[in-house]
Amino acid sequence: MSKWMMSGLVACACIFGVYLLLTGLPDKEEQAKEGTAFTVPERAVDAATSEQIYQSMCISCHGAELQGAIGPELAHIGSSLTKEQLFKTIKNGRRGMPSFEKRLSEDELITVTTWLASHQ
Ligand code: HEC
């Protein structure tokens, strides 16, 4: 009798373990998403669209050659900031840098981010 109870307990523990594994994992993924915010997807550089956006929205502060003016130089920004940092800075702004969340779509943000990231 006690043998059956033991194996019953072991089976319950196993099922509980599997249950935790299955329900625990999505939770962790959710946390990871919030923690690291957003991963910028891999894209080909679209220089034409990016330059258009840059000229209408960024040139006044970062200069025609990305050499910097009111804002810092961006000509080699791809070697100091990751795509995620670039994306976040452009989207949310930072001190003197305005937020472009409302003025650029997510697609445009990714386009400009990819272009700037290629400036190593
Ligand atoms: C009103 C002026 C202004 C405009 C317009 C502007 N920026 Fe900026 N930007 C700044 C300033 C000032 C900083 C420095 C912020 C700081 O010190 O934290 C900055 C910082 C940045 C940085 C981070 C640079 C670094 O070295 O960390 C990036 C990337 C950037 N801007 C991209 C852009 C892009 C792309 C646009 C156009 C969509 C844009 N900026 C438009 C003023 C501006």
Side-chain angles (χ1 to χ4, degrees), residues 53-54 57-62 70-74 77 80-81 86 89-90 94-98 100 103-104 112 116:
I53 296 171
Y54 184 85
M57 298 185 166
C58 324
I59 205 168
S60 53
C61 295
H62 291 283
I70 301 166
E73 186 216 353
L74 297 177
I77 195 70
S80 55
L81 293 186
L86 285 167
T89 306
I90 303 165
R94 210 177 69 195
R95 290 187 281 177
M97 164 79 187
F100 285 90
R103 288 197 271 165
L104 293 172
V112 175
L116 279 179

Side-chain angles (χ1 to χ4, degrees), residues 16-100:
F16 187 58
V18 169
Y19 170 78
L20 277 186
L21 208 65
L22 291 178
T23 54
L25 284 180
D27 240 22
K28 272 189 205 138
E29 267 172 29
E30 211 69 57
Q31 280 174 0
K33 248 186 235 160
E34 278 171 16
T36 56
F38 173 76
T39 309
V40 180
E42 276 307 313
R43 287 245 187 117
V45 177
D46 181 349
T49 309
S50 304
E51 277 162 18
Q52 230 174 347
I53 296 171
Y54 184 85
Q55 276 163 22
S56 65
M57 298 185 166
C58 324
I59 205 168
S60 53
C61 295
H62 291 283
E65 305 297 325
L66 291 86
Q67 79 278 21
I70 301 166
E73 186 216 353
L74 297 177
H76 307 285
I77 195 70
S79 54
S80 55
L81 293 186
T82 64
K83 276 191 198 170
E84 281 66 35
Q85 290 169 323
L86 285 167
F87 184 90
K88 210 174 127 201
T89 306
I90 303 165
K91 184 177 174 194
N92 302 332
R94 210 177 69 195
R95 290 187 281 177
M97 164 79 187
S99 159
F100 285 90

